[in-house]
């Protein structure tokens, strides 16, 4: 046991001393105390006192408060009542007090058009979309530029590790809580924690406000549906100042009242319009009934002599015109006939006929006619095709039965008089009413459309305000309320480098609101695991998304997203290597990147996925061109850029059947594969071996780089045992086996195995099989068959390498668990509960803990990650990890052979497509050749785009993704973190409604 091996323990402790303190420590912030200055910013930092809060900025001072007020506030001297706001009216008769702009004496921004300006005022402004993330970054940069005192020690932002995070505590006065939280939402730098996890959602402090905004949001969604139904263009968000400022309570009350007024008017007009539409529909149907039944009655009177005397004949045909006919009230052969008239949907006419025939056994006479005029259902606004029908039958019970059947199938019944004169008068009266309704409907439609136009002008602004305010109060429900101090207490994670930015925002809100009590920010010490935040831009976001899809990095561990920027498109290009196909992919990527502003708002989930990875597509195309040049392949054709190193001596009487052997010219092809190999019989055999060995080399290099990342993680987290018991044996195991295989591949490439001496005898034996060499390396270590020998001393070196590989297995298996057990026993002997490796994260320098407002230890709320050490659990975990690593080294190396397989498949498929299309077309001569070339070129180009670029490109993308997720990340990537999701209005506004 390690307890009896002090030498091993002392060795690990010596390596521990080699670690620099800055490698794994959390860099503390300097004191946040600010001294009073003539610039007189309201103190909001951790060490400020409320007595200095009344200081005010000088007239010409350029402070965060003055700058941000000019950008977003209505007045430099704004008070809580917001009395300096002016109204913008959509028209003279309908003032709109809810689209607010800055006071003209304060700030005038000609580049930022008002949201209430008419659509025709500027086409460019009308189509200019508001980018919430750009607006958020502008606000952040503004506060960064206006921060006076910065910490002297800050961690540089890199993609190699996530940003350093700090747990902060905010004391926000109740009177400025809403504008303060709203300003933090504009910044998007704080991820608030829920300090009331046990409180029901319906029992929190701001439930009534959230319900209020829910109702307003429902009303705005109703407006959206009505506007979309009419087809009115909704003005997009504009980068104007009213989108970045919190609203006062009076403004929100006025907005709620205005939205309710619009809803009531719109509902009233909708109800009136629907009622008139139904009445208009009835009149239209009645008009067609009156017109068609006139013909039916005339036709029925012509069959007056064809009345049947029997009604109970079972074989009576359906709708036979020889059935009894006659008008209502007429009497024929002692029989009284009644009629039922109405309108029924055309899709149900056959069902209606069959039900009547089965129910009445055919004892009726029915006639129908189609309505040519489109009939619109007012409840669904859908066009319905309908038919007019008239049914003649005998008996009151039968007539009643027919009416019930018709109504059950959705028919509308209209009573018609049998007298022709009365029907004529009724038709004239109906047509007159229809003309009146047309005029009324046109006026109602125009009034409703104008109302929707007024709503559409401000709908986006209203929706933005409502969503922001709702999110603000929802976040405030996560805070605690201190009754004695009359303030809200909040906790949240914030990037350490951005604490000054948050302080500047708090200071600006305090100055803008005129509050005498500043907000206070404290940085807390905590045991909690911080969230992971990688600062990305539009170029690196796509590559980081690939990594995050596998798993979120643990806090501050090595981020594979940095290396993915190069390795991912390169491995894709190895499988997709073709100059022509790479140019097509590059053009697509360039189009997406050059038109990213225009395409950012395009619809379609699949397109947005491709657009998000536009820079990945760009690099994949560029790397594919490079590997295509290495393969000397463009659309399956060769590129004779340089002089070939081979020469074919073709005799004049060559019959085309004899195999010709190329002779070396002594010239080495400078770049890629010699184009002379293309078209030869052994080309596939040559490229097969070349690409297979190249895949193994790339795979071993890629996995070895992943193992190197273990060292950087262990160094940062100050865990030398992970280096001694993890990184070193893993690297030795990998290089002893597969690193040695790479060396043998490179050595075999450098030797001319067919070289002869002056007498013509072979200097070397035949080239050995590396696969057999690796197999016999384990079966018979230390001995090598002379026919398979690569170099002198091969047997001894291979025996040593196998011995090292076998030693590494128990090294990885037992060293770490026993070392942890030793450390645990040592810590328990000293009186500590846990070993020293479980460090407490301290965000603030402990030297300042005794100062006023210094770092406070945050409550854990049951979230502590500490657990009792269990040696058996650690040993089992290490056994699993060791077995997985040893087996995965073999399987992962074989997995990289997919680079070889897909590259060959892509090249061969391209060759087949070329020979089956353009190759066949060019076999013809004359005009037929021209025609076939055009046809076959169209087919070749289409299949190239859809199959070789589309399907093959997607296949190569997925395989490259798998190589990074499985073969590379599992060597070092812990991926147990959780993402940093700050309270951000930009992220909220960018989300699309389901």
């Amino acid at each position: 046991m390690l307890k009896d091996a002090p030498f091993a323990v002392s060795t690990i402790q010596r390596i521990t001393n080699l670690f620099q303190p800055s490698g794994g420590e959390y860099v503390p912030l300097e004191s946040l105390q600010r001294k009073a200055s003539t610039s007189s910013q309201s103190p909001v930092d951790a060490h400020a006192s409320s007595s200095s809060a009344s200081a005010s900025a000088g007239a010409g001072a350029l402070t965060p408060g003055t700058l941000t007020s000019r950008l977003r506030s209505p007045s430099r001297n704004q008070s809580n009542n917001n009395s300096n706001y002016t109204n913008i009216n959509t028209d003279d008769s309908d003032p709109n007090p809810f689209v607010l702009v800055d006071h003209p004496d304060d700030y005038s921004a000609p580049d930022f058009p008002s949201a209430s300006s008419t659509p025709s005022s500027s086409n460019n402004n009308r189509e200019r979309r508001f980018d919430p993330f750009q607006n958020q970054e502008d606000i952040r940069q503004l506060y960064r530029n206006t921060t006076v005192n910065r910490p002297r020690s800050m961690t540089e932002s890199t993609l190699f590790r996530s940003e350093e995070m700090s747990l902060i505590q905010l004391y926000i006065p109740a009177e400025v809580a809403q504008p303060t939280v709203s300003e933090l939402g504009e910044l998007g730098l704080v991820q608030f924690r829920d300090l009331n996890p046990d409180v029901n959602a319906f029992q929190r402090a701001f439930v009534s406000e959230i319900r209020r905004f829910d109702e307003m949001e429902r009303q705005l969604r109703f407006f959206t549906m009505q506007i979309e139904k009419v087809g009115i263009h909704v003005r997009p968000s504009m980068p104007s100042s009213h989108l970045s400022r919190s609203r006062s309570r009076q403004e929100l009350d006025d907005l709620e009242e205005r939205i309710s007024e619009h809803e009531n008017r719109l509902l009233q007009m909708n109800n009136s319009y629907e009622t008139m539409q139904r009445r208009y529909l009835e009149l239209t149907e009645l008009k067609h009934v009156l017109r068609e039944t006139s013909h039916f009655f005339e036709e029925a009177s012509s069959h007056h002599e064809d009345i049947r005397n029997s009604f109970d004949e079972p074989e009576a045909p359906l709708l036979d015109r020889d059935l009894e006919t006659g008008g209502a009230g007429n009497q024929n052969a002692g029989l009284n006939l009644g009629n039922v008239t109405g309108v029924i949907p055309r899709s149900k006419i056959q069902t209606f006929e069959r039900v009547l025939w089965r129910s009445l056994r055919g004892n009726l006479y029915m006639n129908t006619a189609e309505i040519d005029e489109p009939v619109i259902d007012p409840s669904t606004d859908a066009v319905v095709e309908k038919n007019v029908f008239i049914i003649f039958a005998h008996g009151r019970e039968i007539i009643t039965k027919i009416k019930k059947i018709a109504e059950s199938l959705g028919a509308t019944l209209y009573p018609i008089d049998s007298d022709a004169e009365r029907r004529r008068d009724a038709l004239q009266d109906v047509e007159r009413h229809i003309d009146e309704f047309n005029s009324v409907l046109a006026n109602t439609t125009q009034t409703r459309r104008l109302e929707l136009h007024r709503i559409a002008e401000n709908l986006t602004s209203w929706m933005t305000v409502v969503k922001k305010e709702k999110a603000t109060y929802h976040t405030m429900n996560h805070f605690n309320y201190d009754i004695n101090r009359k303030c809200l207490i909040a906790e949240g994670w914030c990037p350490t480098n951005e604490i000054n930015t948050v302080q500047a925002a708090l200071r600006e809100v305090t100055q803008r609101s005129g509050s005498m009590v500043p907000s206070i920010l404290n940085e807390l010490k905590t045991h909690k695991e911080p969230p992971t935040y990688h600062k990305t831009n539009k170029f690196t976001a796509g590559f980081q998304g690939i990594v995050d899809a596998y798993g979120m990095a643990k806090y501050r561990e090595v981020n594979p997203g940095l290396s993915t920027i190069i390795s991912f498109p390169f491995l894709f290009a190895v499988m997709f290597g073709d100059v022509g196909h790479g140019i097509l992919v590059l053009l697509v990527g360039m189009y997406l990147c050059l038109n990213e502003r225009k395409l950012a708002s395009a619809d379609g989930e699949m397109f947005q996925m491709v657009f998000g990875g536009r820079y990945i597509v760009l690099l994949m195309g560029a790397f594919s061109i490079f590997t295509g040049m290495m393969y000397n392949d463009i659309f399956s054709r060769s590129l004779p850029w340089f002089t070939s190193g081979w020469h074919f001596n073709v005799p004049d009487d060559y019959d085309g059947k004899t195999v010709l052997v190329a002779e070396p010219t002594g010239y080495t092809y400078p770049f890629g594969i010699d184009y002379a190999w293309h078209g030869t019989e052994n080309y596939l055999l040559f490229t097969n071996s070349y690409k297979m060995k190249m895949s193994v080399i790339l795979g071993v290099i890629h996995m070895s780089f992943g193992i190197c990342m273990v060292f950087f993680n262990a160094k940062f987290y100050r865990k030398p045992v992970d280096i001694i018991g993890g990184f070193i044996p893993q690297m030795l195991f990998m290089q002893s086996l597969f690193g040695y295989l790479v060396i043998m591949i490179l050595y075999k490439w450098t030797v001319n195995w067919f070289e002869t001496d002056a007498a013509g005898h072979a200097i070397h034996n035949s080239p050995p099989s590396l696969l057999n060499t690796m197999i016999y390396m384990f079966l018979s270590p230390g001995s090598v068959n002379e026919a398979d020998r690569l170099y002198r001393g091969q047997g001894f070196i291979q025996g040593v390498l196998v011995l090292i590989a076998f030693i590494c297995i128990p090294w990885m298996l037992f060293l770490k668990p026993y070392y942890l057990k030793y450390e645990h026993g040592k810590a328990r002997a000293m009186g500590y509960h846990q070993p020293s490796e479980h460090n407490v994260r301290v965000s603030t320098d402990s030297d300042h803990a005794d100062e006023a407002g210094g770092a406070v230890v945050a409550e854990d709320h049951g979230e502590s990650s500490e657990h009792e050490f269990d040696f058996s659990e650690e040993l089992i975990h290490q056994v699993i990890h060791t077995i997985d690593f040893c087996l995965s080294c073999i399987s992962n190396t074989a997995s990289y052979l997919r680079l070889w397989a897909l590259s060959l498949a892509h090249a061969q498929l391209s060759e087949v497509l070329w020979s089956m299309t353009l190759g066949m077309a060019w076999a013809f001569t004359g005009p037929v050749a021209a025609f076939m070339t055009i046809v076959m070129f169209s087919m070749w180009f289409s299949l190239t785009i859809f199959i070789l670029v589309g399907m093959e490109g997607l296949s190569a993308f997925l395989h490259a993704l798998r190589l990074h997720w499985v073969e590379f990340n599992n060597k070092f990537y812990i991926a147990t973190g959780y993402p940093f999701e700050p309270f951000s209005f930009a992220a909220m506004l960018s989300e699309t409604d389901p």
Side-chain angles (χ1 to χ4, degrees):
M1 296 180 60
L2 284 178
K3 185 176 181 181
D4 300 326
F7 175 76
V9 176
S10 62
T11 302
I12 296 177
Q13 292 176 346
R14 290 172 185 173
I15 296 178
T16 305
N17 296 331
L18 297 178
F19 284 86
Q20 298 297 328
S22 60
E25 291 183 346
Y26 299 95
V27 181
L29 288 176
E30 297 295 332
S31 174
L32 299 179
Q33 184 175 9
R34 304 250 196 272
K35 296 181 179 180
S37 61
T38 56
S39 61
S40 63
Q41 302 172 11
S42 299
V44 295
D45 51 38
H47 308 294
S49 61
S50 59
S51 60
S52 61
S54 59
S56 58
L62 195 62
T63 64
T66 57
L67 284 178
T68 50
S69 295
R70 290 177 60 189
L71 181 62
R72 291 185 302 281
S73 66
S75 173
R76 283 189 294 267
N77 299 319
Q78 176 189 354
S79 60
N80 289 333
N81 57 7
N82 298 284
S83 58
N84 290 330
Y85 280 106
T86 58
N87 299 337
I88 295 182
N89 302 336
T90 55
D91 59 359
D92 295 337
S93 60
D94 193 11
N96 183 1
F98 313 111
V99 180
L100 306 174
V101 297
D102 298 338
H103 196 280
D105 295 336
D106 266 322
Y107 178 65
S108 176
D111 294 334
F112 293 164
S114 170
S116 61
S117 59
T118 58
S120 60
S121 60
S122 174
N123 292 331
N124 294 332
N125 291 336
R126 179 171 59 88
E127 298 299 331
R128 182 180 178 184
R129 291 187 177 272
F130 172 67
D131 184 2
F133 290 100
Q134 183 60 43
N135 182 63
Q136 181 186 74
E137 187 59 32
D138 293 341
I139 296 174
R140 291 180 182 178
Q141 192 60 40
L142 177 66
Y143 283 123
R144 294 189 190 111
N145 294 338
T146 54
T147 17
V148 179
N149 297 324
R150 295 179 180 270
R152 290 191 296 271
S153 177
M154 290 198 307
T155 305
E156 184 179 359
S157 298
T158 63
L159 199 62
F160 188 68
R161 295 191 189 277
S162 60
E163 296 291 314
E164 185 177 357
M165 307 297 292
S166 296
L167 182 63
I168 61 174
Q169 186 179 60
L170 298 175
Y171 291 87
I172 307 174
E175 64 271 13
V176 294
Q178 187 267 346
T180 300
V181 177
S182 178
E183 192 71 16
L184 294 178
E186 297 290 350
L187 282 180
L189 291 174
V190 182
Q191 177 179 333
F192 291 102
R193 298 178 61 246
D194 190 358
L195 302 182
N196 308 299
D198 300 328
V199 180
N200 190 287
F202 299 99
Q203 298 176 348
R204 302 206 176 192
F206 302 99
V207 174
S208 58
E209 285 81 358
I210 293 178
R211 288 177 176 174
R212 174 189 181 189
F213 291 115
D214 280 336
E215 176 62 20
M216 295 170 66
E217 195 172 8
R218 181 200 62 78
Q219 294 170 332
L220 294 177
R221 286 197 301 267
F222 169 70
F223 293 158
T224 303
M225 290 188 296
Q226 295 295 316
I227 289 172
E228 290 177 352
K229 187 182 296 185
V230 178
I232 298 176
H233 174 73
V234 179
R235 180 185 295 275
S237 299
M238 295 292 180
S240 54
S241 60
H242 76 278
L243 290 177
S244 303
R245 181 185 56 81
S246 62
R247 294 301 192 262
S248 67
R249 184 175 296 274
Q250 181 61 41
E251 290 174 335
L252 295 176
D253 292 339
D254 293 342
L255 177 59
E256 181 181 20
E257 181 180 356
R258 183 56 180 272
I259 292 177
S260 298
E261 291 177 359
H262 279 296
E263 183 189 28
N264 293 333
R265 285 202 299 268
L266 196 57
L267 287 174
Q268 184 178 2
M269 284 187 286
N270 285 347
N271 293 333
S272 177
Y273 182 79
E274 186 174 348
T275 303
M276 288 187 291
Q277 273 284 84
R278 292 187 181 277
R279 181 56 181 159
Y280 179 78
L281 174 62
E282 294 174 358
L283 291 174
T284 303
E285 292 178 348
L286 181 58
K287 179 184 71 173
H288 287 280
V289 169
L290 290 171
R291 285 180 178 177
E292 299 297 335
T293 52
S294 297
H295 302 293
F296 295 160
F297 277 107
E298 293 175 0
E299 186 178 357
S301 62
S302 65
H303 291 270
H304 184 71
E305 302 296 333
D306 300 330
I307 302 174
R308 291 183 49 181
N309 297 320
S310 177
F311 290 95
D312 53 0
E313 183 177 342
E315 300 298 330
L318 180 63
L319 303 182
D320 192 349
R321 293 186 182 274
D322 293 334
L323 291 176
E324 300 175 1
T325 57
N330 291 345
Q331 192 152 1
N332 277 308
L335 298 175
N336 287 325
L337 295 179
N339 66 72
V340 178
T341 56
V343 177
I344 190 171
R346 193 172 302 168
S347 60
K348 298 181 180 180
I349 191 66
Q350 292 183 357
T351 305
F352 186 39
E353 290 176 351
R354 294 188 177 278
V355 171
L356 289 176
W357 184 80
R358 292 178 181 274
S359 302
L360 306 179
R361 298 182 181 180
N363 295 319
L364 55 89
Y365 173 74
M366 178 177 179
N367 205 344
T368 61
E370 295 183 357
I371 299 178
D372 298 332
E373 181 180 350
V375 178
I376 300 177
D377 188 356
S379 58
T380 61
D381 288 340
V383 178
V384 182
E385 296 179 340
K386 292 190 175 184
N387 284 18
V388 175
F389 68 87
I390 184 169
I391 303 172
F392 294 96
H394 173 265
R396 182 178 301 174
E397 294 182 359
I398 294 178
I399 295 296
T400 304
K401 192 172 185 179
I402 293 174
K403 290 181 179 179
K404 290 182 179 179
I405 293 173
E407 290 174 351
S408 67
L409 292 176
T412 307
L413 303 181
Y414 296 96
I416 302 298
D417 199 287
S418 60
D419 184 66
E421 188 66 29
R422 293 181 181 177
R423 289 199 303 270
R424 238 185 331 267
D425 295 340
L427 181 59
Q428 293 176 358
D429 188 55
V430 167
E431 290 177 346
R432 179 173 55 82
H433 280 84
I434 288 177
D435 293 337
E436 294 175 356
F437 267 94
N438 279 330
S439 177
V440 175
L441 284 174
N443 292 334
T444 304
T445 302
Q446 183 64 21
T447 305
R448 181 171 174 268
R449 191 173 184 84
L450 290 175
E451 179 72 16
L452 292 175
H453 266 295
R454 285 195 291 268
I455 295 174
E457 287 294 317
N458 306 303
L459 181 62
T460 304
S461 301
W462 292 346
M463 185 65 77
T464 301
V465 171
V466 170
K467 284 185 176 181
K468 284 185 175 183
E469 297 298 330
K470 178 183 174 182
T472 299
Y473 282 102
H474 179 75
T475 303
M476 291 167 62
N477 270 337
H478 295 169
F479 301 169
N480 283 333
Y481 181 68
D482 191 333
I483 301 177
N484 297 327
R485 302 180 184 179
K486 294 182 180 181
C487 66
L488 293 177
I489 303 175
E491 288 185 10
W493 295 103
C494 174
T496 305
N497 293 346
E498 300 288 353
I499 288 183
N500 273 4
T501 307
V502 176
Q503 288 177 320
L506 298 177
R507 184 182 304 113
E508 194 273 337
V509 173
T510 303
Q511 290 183 347
R512 186 172 55 190
S513 62
S515 174
M516 300 299 295
V517 181
S519 298
I520 299 176
L521 185 150
N522 288 331
E523 190 178 5
L524 305 179
K525 299 180 180 179
T526 180
H527 296 272
K528 301 179 181 66
E529 180 76 12
T532 300
Y533 172 47
H534 295 110
K535 188 176 292 185
T536 60
N537 52 36
K538 62 182 180 180
F539 176 76
T540 59
F543 297 97
Q544 188 62 46
I546 292 177
V547 176
D548 293 343
Y550 173 80
M552 183 56 61
K554 184 181 178 182
Y555 176 68
R556 301 287 286 167
E557 77 163 309
V558 171
N559 177 28
L562 182 62
S563 60
T564 303
I565 296 176
I566 299 300
S567 62
F568 186 86
F570 178 72
L571 292 182
F572 169 87
V574 171
M575 296 177 279
F576 195 74
D578 189 289
V579 175
H581 301 155
I583 290 175
L584 295 177
V585 175
L586 181 66
L587 292 177
V588 173
M590 291 177 63
Y591 173 78
L592 295 175
C593 295
L594 295 177
N595 299 276
E596 58 185 13
R597 290 184 178 272
K598 181 176 65 176
L599 300 175
S601 58
D603 298 328
E605 183 178 358
M606 183 62 69
F607 176 80
Q608 284 298 324
M609 187 182 301
V610 177
F611 177 76
R614 57 194 179 277
Y615 290 100
I616 302 178
V617 176
L618 184 70
L619 288 186
M620 288 192 306
F623 277 82
S624 297
I625 295 174
F626 170 76
T627 54
M629 296 171 64
M630 293 294 296
Y631 298 156
N632 206 334
D633 199 352
I634 175 171
F635 296 126
S636 76
R637 303 292 93 187
S638 60
L639 296 168
W641 287 345
F642 306 101
T643 303
S644 175
W646 301 93
H647 176 68
F648 290 93
N649 292 319
V650 182
D652 297 336
D653 56 347
Y654 180 63
D655 56 0
K657 298 180 180 179
T658 306
V659 177
L660 298 178
V661 179
E663 298 178 358
T665 62
Y667 177 79
T668 302
Y669 202 77
F671 185 81
I673 298 176
D674 195 327
Y675 69 88
W677 282 99
H678 282 266
T680 59
E681 290 187 357
N682 58 344
Y683 171 70
L684 186 59
L685 182 64
F686 168 71
T687 55
N688 222 0
S689 175
Y690 166 70
K691 292 183 178 180
M692 180 179 64
K693 294 173 181 177
M694 178 193 66
S695 301
V696 173
I697 294 174
L698 294 177
V700 172
I701 293 175
H702 198 212
M703 290 187 295
S704 300
F705 178 70
I707 297 175
C708 291
M709 296 299 102
V710 176
F711 171 80
F712 292 100
N713 274 335
K715 183 177 185 298
F716 180 82
Y717 290 119
R718 300 182 61 82
K719 293 182 178 180
V721 67
D722 286 346
I723 297 179
I724 303 300
F727 166 71
I728 295 178
Q730 287 178 8
M731 183 62 71
L732 288 176
F733 184 88
M734 171 65 74
Q735 303 309 320
S736 297
L737 301 181
F738 302 101
Y740 176 66
L741 176 61
V742 170
I743 294 175
M744 287 194 297
I745 292 174
L746 297 176
Y747 178 79
K748 187 176 178 180
W749 279 348
T750 59
V751 175
N752 183 6
W753 296 97
F754 303 100
E755 184 181 4
T756 58
D757 55 12
H761 301 291
I763 298 177
H764 305 280
N765 55 347
S766 60
S769 171
L770 298 183
L771 180 60
N772 293 334
T773 302
M774 291 296 295
I775 293 175
Y776 286 106
M777 178 178 174
F778 289 93
L779 295 180
S780 57
S783 62
V784 178
N785 190 358
E786 189 64 25
D788 297 331
R789 185 170 61 86
L790 279 172
Y791 55 90
R792 296 179 181 178
Q794 181 179 353
F796 173 76
I797 293 178
Q798 290 183 172
V800 172
L801 293 177
V802 171
L803 179 62
I804 293 175
F806 275 107
I807 291 176
C808 289
I809 295 177
W811 188 351
M812 289 185 287
L813 191 61
F814 298 111
L815 178 61
K816 183 175 180 179
Y818 278 98
Y819 174 76
L820 293 178
K821 182 180 181 181
Y822 170 80
E823 285 291 303
H824 177 70
K826 182 179 177 181
R828 294 296 292 267
M830 297 175 61
Y832 294 103
H833 181 65
Q834 287 292 87
S836 59
E837 72 164 306
H838 296 288
N839 292 326
V840 175
R841 180 182 182 277
V842 180
S843 299
T844 304
D845 194 346
S846 59
D847 295 340
H848 304 289
D850 55 346
E851 298 181 8
V856 182
V857 178
E859 298 180 5
D860 286 342
H861 297 290
E863 299 178 8
S864 177
S865 60
E866 293 185 5
H867 57 87
E868 188 66 26
F869 176 79
D870 188 350
F871 174 73
S872 61
E873 181 180 346
E874 291 289 341
L875 184 60
I876 293 174
H877 177 270
Q878 194 65 24
V879 168
I880 295 174
H881 176 71
T882 302
I883 295 175
D884 176 69
F885 175 80
C886 295
L887 295 180
S888 64
C889 283
I890 303 173
S891 62
N892 293 164
T893 303
S895 183
Y896 276 91
L897 293 177
R898 70 186 66 243
L899 299 174
W900 154 59
L902 266 74
S903 176
L904 284 179
H906 184 78
Q908 291 303 305
L909 188 59
S910 179
E911 175 71 26
V912 170
L913 181 60
W914 180 279
S915 61
M916 295 295 290
T917 54
L918 291 177
M920 294 176 58
W922 289 344
F924 295 91
T925 57
V928 178
F931 173 76
M932 290 298 296
T933 299
I934 295 174
V935 174
M936 289 301 179
F937 175 80
S938 302
M939 183 181 299
W940 170 81
F941 186 77
S942 301
L943 294 177
T944 297
I945 294 296
F946 290 105
I947 297 179
L948 295 181
V949 177
M951 297 177 61
E952 285 285 314
L954 180 60
S955 175
F957 180 90
L958 295 177
H959 283 283
L961 195 65
R962 182 237 155 80
L963 290 176
H964 282 79
W965 282 0
V966 180
E967 278 71 30
F968 177 65
N969 285 353
N970 68 353
K971 296 295 183 295
F972 69 98
Y973 195 40
I974 305 174
T976 58
Y978 63 99
F980 176 61
E981 297 175 346
F983 170 53
S984 170
F985 287 153
M988 177 197 66
L989 294 177
S990 64
E991 296 176 355
T992 56
D993 295 331

